[in-house]
Amino acid sequence: MRLNEIEVQHYRNYDGLTLDFPKTLNIFLGENAQGKTNLLESIYVLAMTRSHRTSNEKELVHWDSDSARIRGVIEKKTGTVPLEIIISNKGRKTKVNHIEQKRLSSYIGQLNVILFAPEDLSLVKGSPQLRRKFIDMELGQVNPIYLYDLVQYQSVLKQRNQYLKQLAEKKQSDLVYLDILTEQLAEFGGKVLFARLEFIKKLEHWANLLHKKISHEKEELAIDYFSSIPLDKENISLEEIQKQLLQSLLDNRKRELFKANTFLGPHRDDLIFNVNGQNVQTYGSQGQQRTTALSVKLAEIDLMYSETGEYPVLLLDDVMSELDNERQLHLLETIEGKVQTFLTTTSLDHLNNKLTVEPDIFYVHQGEIEREA
Ligand code: ATP
Ligand code: MG
């Protein structure tokens, strides 16, 4: 798929701006603090309705304004789709084909994006929370039902933790209500877990192919899902997962009541990356960790294509300067020609002599953008 044009109004440091993108590779060039990341972020928000940088929506709206608007025209195999999102202190309003969408899951998935920023290179080294967010974002885009189940899971989890606190403080004593919440948690948690296990298997397939290539066939990458409950992961059915999750929650009830917290379930899980059988987070060199992060990130392109029949749009924020020459070439090779890419940089030095397609270059300066003639 492609983003053919975008219009942003009162978004971050942009007053108003309309751009069209006939070329596959679009480079946004400018000095620091001019609005390069803001523009990529606006594309990300158009796709995901949320920013990757902040959960505070107020920050997205221009200081002098009450609401921001982003409109885009997406081109897919099935035709063109206008998308629109309005952000204000009243919340977010989303439209597909000019029709307002009440459900997040009927909006997300229209435009698929993959964002790659320098902090993604810490996917391997960073916190488990970062890896969970990674799964949730990527899986949510190709599977909107997952997003729905995840939101339900999080809402039951919150209720359940509140209730556990009330029980601990002896403000409540009814354990039957805890049973009901536990069953609901196992139902949605099981769905979340099931979808994640499937997703990780596919991601591993594509990521390993790339990892092998980047490492000149010297390294194999395996991705394991670390579950906080004991799981027999081979060919397990959804019902079986829900049953096992429920059982684990019941087995740990005493501890949960004592700690007044739910400490088992997908909100506590993690990913483990193994290179040639060794945990790369613990034993890998910095280069191996970067190759792993790059492979996993780029694998999403192939995965999304195999799931949806369309390539996603790729947003590369400042990553070229973070990669060595060889990894830069791999990155460009993966995308060139087939994946529409929006790339920000402060200098063209990392790109010179490496591009095989003619890019459009846009100069970004103080919230204004000019296309190179
Ligand atoms: P770098 O190369 O350093 O990453 P950049 O071009 O990516 O720079 P951005 O992050 O896109 O920079 O823009 C940052 C600027 O946007 C900040 O300096 C800030 O002044 C401005 N900005 C951020 N939020 C708002 C807002 N809500 N209203 C107006 N301006 C804003
Ligand atoms: Mg930036």
Side-chain angles (χ1 to χ4, degrees):
M1 68 175 65
R2 294 178 77 107
L3 176 65
N4 280 348
E5 57 179 79
I6 193 165
E7 183 186 343
V8 294
Q9 274 173 8
H10 312 304
Y11 186 87
R12 293 269 193 194
N13 66 337
Y14 292 103
D15 240 358
L17 175 87
T18 309
L19 296 171
D20 65 321
F21 306 113
K23 299 254 176 78
T24 304
L25 181 58
N26 299 280
I27 297 174
F28 294 89
L29 180 64
E31 289 173 12
N32 296 129
Q34 301 303 310
K36 301 183 301 296
T37 301
N38 292 348
L39 187 85
L40 285 202
E41 183 189 39
S42 76
I43 300 175
Y44 188 89
V45 172
L46 184 69
M48 303 295 289
T49 76
R50 288 175 191 286
S51 164
H52 62 290
R53 289 199 285 187
T54 175
S55 54
N56 182 1
E57 296 187 337
K58 218 177 128 211
E59 289 173 28
L60 307 180
V61 180
H62 193 291
W63 295 323
D64 300 336
S65 195
D66 298 327
S67 70
R69 179 200 299 264
I70 311 163
R71 293 196 312 119
V73 179
I74 315 306
E75 188 184 321
K76 301 199 218 189
K77 283 181 185 147
T78 46
T80 55
V81 187
L83 296 181
E84 181 171 347
I85 176 160
I86 297 165
I87 302 159
S88 69
N89 50 13
K90 291 191 212 102
R92 293 166 293 170
K93 212 181 197 178
T94 53
K95 291 184 190 172
V96 178
N97 275 321
H98 312 289
I99 300 164
E100 197 176 333
Q101 306 293 312
K102 294 280 179 215
R103 278 166 163 269
L104 200 58
S105 54
S106 56
Y107 183 86
I108 291 182
Q110 296 291 337
L111 170 61
N112 288 326
V113 296
I114 290 172
L115 177 107
F116 198 175
E119 55 268 27
D120 288 308
L121 289 167
S122 54
L123 183 72
V124 176
K125 245 331 204 192
S127 69
Q129 199 183 355
L130 200 77
R131 288 181 287 277
R132 284 194 294 269
K133 187 176 159 210
F134 163 79
I135 309 179
D136 292 341
M137 290 305 218
E138 310 312 334
L139 180 48
Q141 282 197 74
V142 288
N143 181 358
I145 297 168
Y146 174 80
L147 270 189
Y148 173 81
D149 292 333
L150 183 68
V151 169
Q152 300 295 317
Y153 176 76
Q154 284 162 344
S155 140
V156 179
L157 179 66
K158 202 168 148 200
Q159 279 181 55
R160 192 173 185 270
N161 282 339
Q162 273 165 2
Y163 196 70
L164 282 168
K165 270 195 193 78
Q166 290 174 358
L167 286 167
E169 290 163 4
K170 306 241 181 315
K171 286 183 189 151
Q172 297 281 355
S173 59
D174 181 7
L175 288 179
V176 178
Y177 185 58
L178 183 64
D179 283 340
I180 297 172
L181 289 174
T182 306
E183 274 176 29
Q184 287 179 353
L185 196 73
E187 184 196 331
F188 290 113
K191 288 181 178 174
V192 168
L193 250 172
F194 185 72
R196 283 187 184 174
L197 291 176
E198 294 252 287
F199 175 75
I200 294 308
K201 244 189 272 164
K202 292 175 191 163
L203 186 73
E204 179 187 56
H205 168 78
W206 297 110
N208 182 34
L209 287 179
L210 286 162
H211 195 104
K212 272 204 282 206
K213 201 166 140 209
I214 302 177
S215 66
H216 303 287
E217 307 291 323
K218 283 201 277 278
E219 295 179 0
E220 294 266 353
L221 172 66
I223 309 177
D224 268 343
Y225 187 84
F226 173 81
S227 166
S228 54
I229 62 162
L231 266 188
D232 178 14
K233 279 177 257 177
E234 289 307 311
N235 301 320
I236 190 165
S237 69
L238 170 61
E239 290 70 28
E240 194 56 37
I241 288 186
Q242 287 169 324
K243 223 170 87 189
Q244 290 187 18
L245 181 54
L246 182 62
Q247 194 55 52
S248 297
L249 288 165
L250 294 174
D251 290 347
N252 282 278
R253 170 158 292 187
K254 254 203 186 132
R255 229 175 107 205
E256 284 193 327
L257 284 168
F258 181 69
K259 298 222 169 176
N261 200 5
T262 308
F263 46 80
L264 291 177
H267 65 293
R268 288 295 179 93
D269 294 352
D270 200 357
L271 292 179
I272 296 167
F273 302 103
N274 292 307
V275 167
N276 289 343
Q278 297 288 357
N279 185 333
V280 71
Q281 183 178 23
T282 317
Y283 297 108
S285 70
Q286 203 186 27
Q288 283 173 317
Q289 290 172 351
R290 284 183 162 226
T291 301
T292 303
L294 186 64
S295 307
V296 170
K297 211 63 207 179
L298 293 181
E300 294 175 63
I301 296 173
D302 298 310
L303 197 149
M304 278 199 192
Y305 184 77
S306 75
E307 294 287 295
T308 66
E310 300 259 13
Y311 281 110
V313 168
L314 188 64
L315 310 174
L316 298 177
D317 194 14
D318 243 343
V319 283
M320 292 306 274
S321 57
E322 297 287 322
L323 298 171
D324 60 26
N325 204 39
E326 198 179 340
R327 291 191 186 93
Q328 284 174 359
L329 285 170
H330 274 289
L331 177 57
L332 292 171
E333 195 187 306
T334 319
I335 58 176
E336 271 180 338
K338 60 180 183 184
V339 183
Q340 190 189 25
T341 302
F342 297 85
L343 181 157
T344 72
T345 184
T346 49
S347 137
L348 290 176
D349 292 350
H350 310 291
L351 295 161
N352 280 340
N353 311 321
K354 292 197 189 97
L355 300 177
T356 56
V357 292
E358 182 77 22
D360 250 339
I361 296 176
F362 298 88
Y363 295 97
V364 185
H365 183 68
Q366 295 184 353
E368 310 225 340
I369 298 185
E370 219 170 283
R371 190 192 308 252
E372 186 185 55

